[in-house]
């Protein structure tokens, strides 16, 4: 798949990220025409300035990586990220609430987040950590977030014991409305697996090994 680079969110989210790492990430994103870079919130402004004049989008994470911060906290993070210039917001939903079957909490959470994101015409990707969920829980998430108007449902943070799988992507696609895209992330380290995820229905791939993937090599790292 020669155009695989267009699917990639070139990602660095480790807590020890340096400014030099962000500079390299953005240089590589420009060189390989990746869809976006995904960076920690404190580096959004830097990434935005480095990518000025290009088509590469700047994404950041909200409520990362466990999703159990208060809705008000996530909203504050979203507002600050948008002020700093983020084009896309990858929001970790309260995974504990999913495991406890608290769908009222989750509906309230997304209903408070969506108007703020869409008032600025930003892209929202909802992360549900599919590797720790049952099929039934994944299907319920597809139903809840599918009607909420999100842009992408995303498989993983990259910090759980299990990342993206072809099976999860297929399950997403089966139960999401056609207009909701899928972002696969977590453990995508080679071209073959990346291509299989796209063939299963993913339209974005979150990975730190983006360069290795497009070069047909094997990368390292969680993300």
């Amino acid at each position: 798949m020669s155009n695989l680079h267009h699917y990639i969110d070139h990602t660095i989210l480790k807590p020890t990220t340096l400014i030099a790492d962000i500079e390299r990430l953005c240089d590589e994103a420009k060189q390989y025409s990746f869809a976006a870079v995904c960076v920690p919130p404190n580096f959004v402004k830097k990434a935005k300035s480095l990518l000025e004049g290009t088509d590469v989008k700047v994404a950041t994470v909200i409520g990362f990586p466990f999703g159990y911060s208060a809705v008000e906290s996530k909203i504050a993070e979203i507002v600050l990220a948008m002020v700093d210039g983020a084009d896309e917001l990858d929001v970790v939903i309260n995974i504990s609430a999913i495991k406890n079957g608290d769908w009222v909490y989750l509906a309230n959470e997304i209903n408070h987040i969506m108007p703020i994101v869409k008032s600025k015409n930003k892209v929202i990707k909802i992360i549900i950590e599919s590797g720790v969920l049952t099929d039934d829980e994944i299907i319920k998430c597809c139903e809840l977030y599918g009607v909420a108007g999100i842009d992408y449902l995303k498989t993983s943070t990259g910090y759980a014991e299990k990342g993206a799988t072809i099976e999860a992507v297929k399950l997403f696609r089966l139960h999401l409305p056609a207009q909701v895209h899928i972002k696969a992330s977590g453990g995508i380290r080679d071209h073959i697996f990346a291509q299989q995820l796209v063939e299963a229905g993913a339209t974005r791939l979150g990975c730190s090994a983006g360069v290795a993937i497009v070069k047909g090599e094997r990368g390292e790292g969680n993300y």
Side-chain angles (χ1 to χ4, degrees), residues 46-209:
K46 179 67 173 176
K48 191 70 176 176
S49 67
L50 290 168
L51 293 167
E52 190 174 359
T54 76
D55 292 330
V56 181
K57 303 299 184 186
V58 176
T60 193
V61 287
I62 305 296
F64 194 82
F66 303 119
Y68 47 35
S69 48
V71 179
E72 294 84 353
S73 176
K74 290 178 183 176
I75 288 171
E77 287 184 60
I78 287 166
V79 170
L80 290 169
M82 293 192 300
V83 167
D84 283 347
D87 302 296
E88 303 182 354
L89 303 150
D90 290 32
V91 182
V92 188
I93 289 308
N94 193 312
I95 310 302
S96 176
I98 297 175
K99 296 308 291 184
N100 282 285
D102 195 347
W103 301 100
V104 172
Y105 178 95
L106 292 161
N108 177 69
E109 181 179 60
I110 192 63
N111 287 341
H112 277 82
I113 288 171
M114 285 302 298
I116 294 161
V117 174
K118 289 306 171 183
S119 71
K120 302 297 184 184
N121 295 314
K122 304 298 184 181
V123 168
I124 182 166
K125 309 186 197 106
I126 292 297
I127 311 174
I128 67 166
E129 207 67 90
S130 59
V132 301
L133 304 181
T134 65
D135 283 0
D136 282 347
E137 288 165 340
I138 290 172
I139 291 166
K140 285 180 182 176
C141 286
C142 290
E143 291 168 352
L144 173 63
Y145 299 113
V147 299
I150 67 169
D151 298 292
Y152 289 82
L153 194 64
K154 179 175 169 182
T155 62
S156 326
T157 61
Y159 282 82
E161 56 267 32
K162 187 177 180 183
T165 65
I166 294 161
E167 293 75 22
V169 171
K170 286 181 176 178
L171 193 62
F172 279 26
R173 190 66 281 156
L174 193 61
H175 293 279
L176 283 172
Q179 70 272 19
V180 178
H181 294 275
I182 297 165
K183 179 176 173 180
S185 61
I188 307 171
R189 301 187 188 94
D190 63 69
H191 188 280
I192 293 171
F193 186 40
Q195 186 168 322
Q196 289 172 334
L197 290 165
V198 170
E199 289 167 355
T203 49
R204 284 287 187 92
L205 304 172
C207 37
S208 54

